[in-house]
Amino acid sequence: MTNNSSSMMIVRFAAVAILTMAASSNAFQMSPSTTTSSTILYSKNSGRAHTERMLEESMGDDWRLFRAKLVAQEKMAASSSSLGDNKKKKKKDAKLSSKDNTNDELDKQGQLSELFAGAISSIFHSSSDKENKKRSLALSSDENLMNGDNIGGAVPSAAGVDTADTNSLQDPFVSAAELPIHMASKQVEVSKHRWAHDIAHIEPGCVLIANEKLGGVFHQTVVLIVDHHEKTGTTGVVINRPMQGNLNKVVTNQDNATIDLSLKLAFKPAPVSYGGPVLQDEFAVLHGFGHVEGSKKLAPGVFIGGSEELMNEVRINRFDPRHALFIKGHAAWIPGQLDREIKKDVWYIASVSSDFLLRYAGAPTTKEDDTKDLWKDILSCMGGKYAAVAKKHAGLGDLRMP
């Protein structure tokens, strides 16, 4: 067993052990005689959710990243094929252009070659006939079959033919066309932190990227899809419209904002984003802490909801409130509406990395990231025509209110 496989088994064993210990916390149920506070019980459940989330990340359990690598591999293969076709076309054109100039020379060479071919044929004709006769006799002999003669290209030694004949002993398992299979293929590098590609369908956790021509409140927005059903419609939240000030300031300055006072106090420094034009007096919390009670998992490492559980984590200093993005309002579509908009190219559909989704919820950033324009950043990462759109139309940035 290799060191890598041994290490992987140790990691998986440790993961199972930790999850088993975390699962045992469910046995601690509240009873009238129990003096343990409800906050402790909540922290146990939330602690397990956070542990699961960390293990999922450490084990690389993100199927979307695997899909992103496949997409990148396909793009590289298509690019290589296109490049090869262009080279072949250039060579063909070059041959056609020189063909007319060489026709006369080929005619003269053809006459000379016929003379030499006749002379050579007369010299080797007799020996060639004998060799062919011996080969045919050997092929018709059933007695020599079990001796291995003529099996897999082997030449019978009794036929008087040199067994080292390279033409008779060509490798039957490898041809020129098969050589690329045995060569090391190029591996596509996809950054876990930064990847994005278009997809053909809507799925929870994907994003809608506003077409550059779309105006109004959704101009250059990135909408994270929360729910999508054919019968009930679609809901999502805008994730690239940060508001001025933290949660405490936003709630204080807006009379129509409804939020529990305990949440307001616990999440004072939390950032706030405009989420959409529907129910703007209500808040949802986007975070990467874990699949706590009351939350929904949108993608690996990305969750929405569960503010009560998160509040208890903040109180015991296990969760940084600045890593919770409070989203004010949301976007909604009736059944069939979003499909019609997509057919009219109102939106680009994309699957993106979790760090893109949590850009304003405490996700790490690098020098490659445009931290002030998520719309541009995702389109640029997608490459091709999308990168061209970003380069041409970006410039306003995220920090603006519709």
Side-chain angles (χ1 to χ4, degrees):
M1 183 178 293
T2 63
N3 293 335
N4 291 336
S5 59
S6 300
S7 300
M8 183 58 68
M9 289 186 63
I10 294 173
V11 170
R12 292 186 179 276
F13 178 79
V16 173
I18 295 173
L19 287 176
T20 303
M21 290 186 292
S24 65
S25 64
N26 292 334
F28 294 95
Q29 300 295 332
M30 298 294 292
S31 64
S33 60
T34 303
T35 58
T36 306
S37 66
S38 60
T39 301
I40 298 298
L41 180 62
Y42 287 146
S43 68
K44 287 181 180 292
N45 294 333
S46 300
R48 175 182 178 179
H50 186 58
T51 300
E52 290 175 347
R53 183 254 185 274
M54 298 301 293
L55 287 173
E56 182 182 67
E57 181 179 3
S58 64
M59 297 174 71
D61 191 16
D62 188 346
W63 64 270
R64 301 175 313 131
L65 179 59
F66 177 74
R67 180 176 64 179
K69 291 180 179 179
L70 290 179
V71 171
Q73 190 77 35
E74 290 174 356
K75 288 182 178 179
M76 186 183 72
S79 177
S80 299
S81 176
S82 177
L83 183 61
D85 291 341
N86 290 335
K87 289 182 178 180
K88 289 180 180 179
K89 185 178 180 181
K90 289 181 180 180
K91 289 182 179 179
K92 185 177 181 181
D93 293 341
K95 288 181 179 180
L96 290 175
S97 63
S98 62
K99 184 176 181 180
D100 295 337
N101 298 330
T102 58
N103 281 340
D104 295 338
E105 295 181 4
L106 289 175
D107 290 338
K108 295 179 180 178
Q109 293 176 6
Q111 295 174 1
L112 293 174
S113 65
E114 289 178 0
L115 293 174
F116 282 109
I120 294 173
S121 177
S122 63
I123 296 173
F124 295 101
H125 180 71
S126 59
S127 62
S128 177
D129 287 344
K130 293 180 181 179
E131 182 178 316
N132 291 334
K133 185 180 292 185
K134 291 180 181 179
R135 287 178 181 270
S136 61
L137 289 173
L139 289 172
S140 61
S141 177
D142 292 337
E143 295 178 357
N144 296 328
L145 186 63
M146 296 306 295
N147 294 331
D149 294 342
N150 302 308
I151 299 297
V155 179
S157 57
V161 180
D162 186 4
T163 56
D165 184 3
T166 56
N167 292 328
S168 301
L169 298 178
Q170 289 182 354
D171 188 349
F173 302 105
V174 181
S175 65
E178 294 172 328
L179 285 177
I181 300 176
H182 301 278
M183 298 172 64
S185 59
K186 294 181 179 179
Q187 297 296 325
V188 178
E189 295 294 334
V190 177
S191 171
K192 177 184 176 182
H193 161 72
R194 183 182 173 82
W195 59 263
H197 63 85
D198 58 349
I199 55 177
H201 60 279
I202 305 171
E203 61 188 25
C206 74
V207 294
L208 303 177
I209 306 171
N211 185 290
E212 63 276 11
K213 298 178 181 179
L214 180 62
V217 296
F218 288 107
H219 178 61
Q220 295 187 356
T221 53
V222 178
V223 181
L224 172 60
I225 296 299
V226 177
D227 290 296
H228 177 69
H229 301 284
E230 294 183 359
K231 295 183 178 180
T232 59
T234 307
T235 58
V237 290
V238 177
I239 58 174
N240 67 326
R241 286 295 176 269
M243 302 178 69
Q244 295 282 1
N246 53 32
L247 180 65
N248 182 59
K249 183 178 179 180
V250 171
V251 173
T252 302
N253 295 339
Q254 297 187 11
D255 297 333
N256 63 338
T258 58
I259 189 171
D260 186 78
L261 179 60
S262 57
L263 284 176
K264 176 184 174 182
L265 294 175
F267 289 95
K268 275 185 179 182
V272 183
S273 173
Y274 167 81
V278 181
L279 298 177
Q280 294 190 47
D281 58 336
E282 296 184 1
F283 290 86
V285 58
L286 183 69
H287 59 93
F289 181 79
H291 198 178
V292 299
E293 184 178 352
S295 67
K296 178 178 181 177
K297 182 178 180 179
L298 301 180
V302 181
F303 312 89
I304 191 167
S307 57
E308 292 291 334
E309 295 283 347
L310 293 178
M311 179 174 62
N312 292 306
E313 295 299 316
V314 172
R315 288 173 175 171
I316 61 176
N317 296 320
R318 194 157 60 182
F319 180 59
D320 188 343
R322 294 170 298 179
H323 293 171
L325 177 64
F326 278 77
I327 302 176
K328 191 172 182 291
H330 67 272
W333 293 264
I334 61 175
Q337 179 184 359
L338 183 56
D339 292 330
R340 290 192 297 270
E341 292 179 3
I342 291 173
K343 289 179 180 178
K344 293 181 179 180
D345 296 327
V346 174
W347 304 98
Y348 302 123
I349 315 173
S351 178
V352 304
S353 68
S354 298
D355 284 347
F356 272 140
L357 299 179
L358 298 175
R359 168 63 59 84
Y360 290 101
T365 58
T366 65
K367 294 180 179 179
E368 291 183 271
D369 300 318
D370 188 336
T371 58
K372 296 182 179 179
D373 197 334
L374 184 60
W375 182 84
K376 174 189 174 184
D377 212 11
I378 292 178
L379 287 174
S380 299
C381 187
M382 292 171 70
K385 64 179 183 180
Y386 302 105
V389 168
K391 184 176 180 180
K392 183 177 180 180
H393 297 279
L396 296 177
D398 292 338
L399 193 57
R400 48 179 161 139
M401 282 303 298

